[in-house]
Amino acid sequence: MTATLQTIRGCVLAPDPDHQRVSLLPDALLRIDDAGVIVSVEAASADCDVPNTWPGAVIVPGFVDVHLHFPQTRVIGSASGPLLPWLERSVFPEEQRFADDDYAATVADEFCDALIAQGTTCAAIYSSSHPGATERLFAALARRGLRAATGLTLMDRHGPAALVRSHTDALAASEGLLERWHGYDRGRLQLSMIPRFAISCTPELMQAAGTFAASHDLLIQSHISENLDEIAKTLELFPGQRDYLGVYEAHGCATASTILAHCIHLSDHEWSRFVSRDLAIAHCPDSNFFLGSGAMPLAAALDRGLRVGLGTDVGAGRTFSVRRVAAAAHDAALLHGAPVAPQALLWLATRGGARALGRPQLGCVAPGFEADLAVIDLPALGSSDMDTIIDALLFRHDAGPVRATLVRGRVL
Ligand SMILES: [Zn+2]
């Protein structure tokens, strides 16, 4: 089906806007306006003549992937970790191929296919350090109807010569991308500033990224405290800083518009500054397991009231499925002896991600929200209660493919 729908009928799982809860609407009728915004959600009446749009399926808000790397699409599953050797052996050689615009354009289409196939409607994406490849990525996202924040992965040291770029060059390229893509299609696409991580950025580059983001109100994305060797090297490179977060704080890259991935080995003092600065977290447990990095204490982050979303972290993550990442988050939470309810995990995969990315109009199935939806086939279940349905969606890896992915009511 390729269409823009204005009426949808079916079984809906509707996340609460503010709390980590979900409601089941077993037979709902959704109406969507010309702009792709939901105008009403009601129980279908007994004499409703609209047939079920996708019989046997459940409708959820489109998944929000808050952290993944476009130029790592073709190196998913490279078991060359831990983090620093994996970057050298698997990632940097592949990212260099993105100097070729045609290669980037081909992979950008594969990348969009993979997002749509998993019901992901919005993503925070690291491009490569190449302006041409990033342009191709924006063009593919625009054409395919996806929602995203992306930009150059900024690095000016500790990488191959073919990937490092001076901060003046990177900022000039970002100016062009800002003009062409930021706010495209009523804000569907956004430019983001992405200092790769502290190791690969000089203080000058990081400061320039922070200043540029502040002056244009852009999302900042980076990594923090993924791996103990990474932390040690970071503190060696920034001897004036007491801890890893201090590096981002000192260079204008730790604001309420910042999302930091991993957060596995943070100190208590860093956690409390996450709260005071309203920093958002990209929780990437599948990637963390694959590289042997450890497990972030999810329940502790949620107890602190922090904004948390789920990230596939492709290519250290082995899947584009945010549902699979939710299952990994379940396992990671158990390792900490602090389980997180499946309902809360589905909330994080949708509404939590939207809040982490500063997209308040996403992640709910309710009037006033954008009609970004994922439609997932349900396997035969012994019960139709909500917990059974959520468990099946998140934890039965062999069942329930995505039947349709919609942004603003348009089937992608
Ligand atoms: Zn990453």
Side-chain angles (χ1 to χ4, degrees):
M1 192 191 304
T2 52
T4 298
L5 305 183
Q6 298 206 298
T7 310
I8 290 172
R9 181 178 178 184
C11 173
V12 172
L13 285 169
D16 184 273
D18 303 314
H19 302 99
Q20 291 145 32
R21 287 194 302 259
V22 175
S23 304
L24 176 68
L25 314 172
D27 185 8
L29 190 66
L30 277 62
R31 294 195 190 280
I32 300 165
D33 69 14
D34 291 336
V37 175
I38 298 170
V39 288
S40 67
V41 179
E42 294 160 357
S45 61
D47 59 352
C48 178
D49 56 7
V50 177
N52 188 315
T53 315
W54 297 281
V58 65
I59 300 162
V60 298
F63 294 107
V64 179
D65 187 341
V66 299
H67 183 100
L68 79 170
H69 298 256
F70 152 60
Q72 296 172 20
T73 302
R74 289 188 174 182
V75 292
I76 292 174
S78 301
S80 56
L83 173 66
L84 299 178
W86 171 79
L87 285 170
E88 298 288 340
R89 290 177 198 147
S90 298
V91 171
F92 290 157
E94 174 64 13
E95 289 196 4
Q96 291 178 54
R97 301 202 169 98
F98 288 75
D100 176 347
D101 292 346
D102 293 337
Y103 184 78
T106 302
V107 179
D109 260 319
E110 294 171 14
F111 178 81
C112 292
D113 285 341
L115 291 174
I116 293 166
Q118 296 300 339
T120 298
T121 52
C122 180
I125 306 164
Y126 290 54
S127 180
S128 70
S129 59
H130 308 98
T134 308
E135 186 74 33
R136 300 307 181 282
L137 174 61
F138 267 118
L141 293 162
R143 198 173 60 248
R144 303 297 296 276
L146 287 158
R147 215 181 273 280
T150 188
L152 302 179
T153 288
L154 305 171
M155 48 196 297
D156 65 347
R157 65 175 174 184
H158 296 297
L163 287 182
V164 296
R165 185 173 302 279
S166 74
H167 71 272
T168 42
D169 275 10
L171 269 289
S174 297
E175 285 278 4
L177 292 167
L178 181 85
E179 237 166 71
R180 285 188 295 283
W181 294 112
H182 186 61
Y184 175 87
D185 190 17
R186 292 181 283 134
R188 183 159 63 81
L189 299 182
Q190 297 177 354
L191 179 68
S192 167
M193 293 310 280
I194 313 175
R196 179 172 209 129
F197 64 162
I199 293 174
S200 64
C201 299
T202 60
E204 293 72 29
L205 174 62
M206 213 175 312
Q207 187 63 59
T211 303
F212 191 85
S215 54
H216 300 289
D217 195 19
L218 306 180
L219 181 74
I220 298 172
Q221 308 185 60
S222 196
H223 300 86
I224 192 168
S225 285
E226 178 175 4
N227 167 291
L228 297 175
D229 292 339
E230 169 214 11
I231 296 168
K233 187 156 183 194
T234 298
L235 296 180
E236 202 181 291
L237 289 168
F238 292 90
Q241 299 305 329
R242 59 186 288 179
D243 55 29
Y244 201 152
L245 181 56
V247 176
Y248 295 133
E249 290 172 324
H251 300 95
C253 289
T255 75
S257 299
T258 298
I259 181 161
L260 295 172
H262 305 309
C263 303
I264 297 170
H265 309 285
L266 295 179
S267 65
D268 285 346
H269 191 231
E270 286 173 304
W271 277 114
S272 62
R273 282 140 60 212
F274 261 72
V275 175
S276 60
R277 290 180 171 273
D278 190 20
L279 304 176
I281 294 173
H283 181 35
C284 308
D286 182 64
S287 155
N288 299 154
F289 284 135
F290 189 53
L291 294 184
S293 305
M296 188 194 85
L298 176 58
L302 296 176
D303 287 348
R304 291 174 186 269
L306 288 164
R307 289 176 296 129
V308 180
L310 301 180
T312 59
D313 197 18
V314 157
R318 294 162 286 190
T319 178
F320 279 90
S321 167
V322 179
R323 291 156 69 202
R324 281 223 175 195
V325 172
H330 171 268
D331 300 351
L334 292 183
L335 288 178
H336 279 282
V340 173
Q343 203 177 128
L345 295 172
L346 178 60
W347 189 91
L348 293 174
T350 53
R351 179 62 177 162
R355 286 167 38 124
L357 297 183
R359 300 256 195 163
Q361 78 284 20
L362 303 181
C364 295
V365 185
F369 286 85
E370 303 254 7
D372 290 13
L373 304 168
V375 182
I376 304 165
D377 280 333
L378 278 178
L381 297 172
S383 154
S384 57
D385 72 65
M386 185 173 75
D387 290 341
T388 304
I389 293 173
I390 293 176
D391 286 357
L393 284 184
L394 299 185
F395 305 132
R396 285 206 200 187
H397 296 331
D398 297 337
V402 171
R403 201 187 301 180
T405 303
L406 295 82
V407 169
R408 291 185 181 140
R410 179 187 159 208
V411 181
L412 304 186

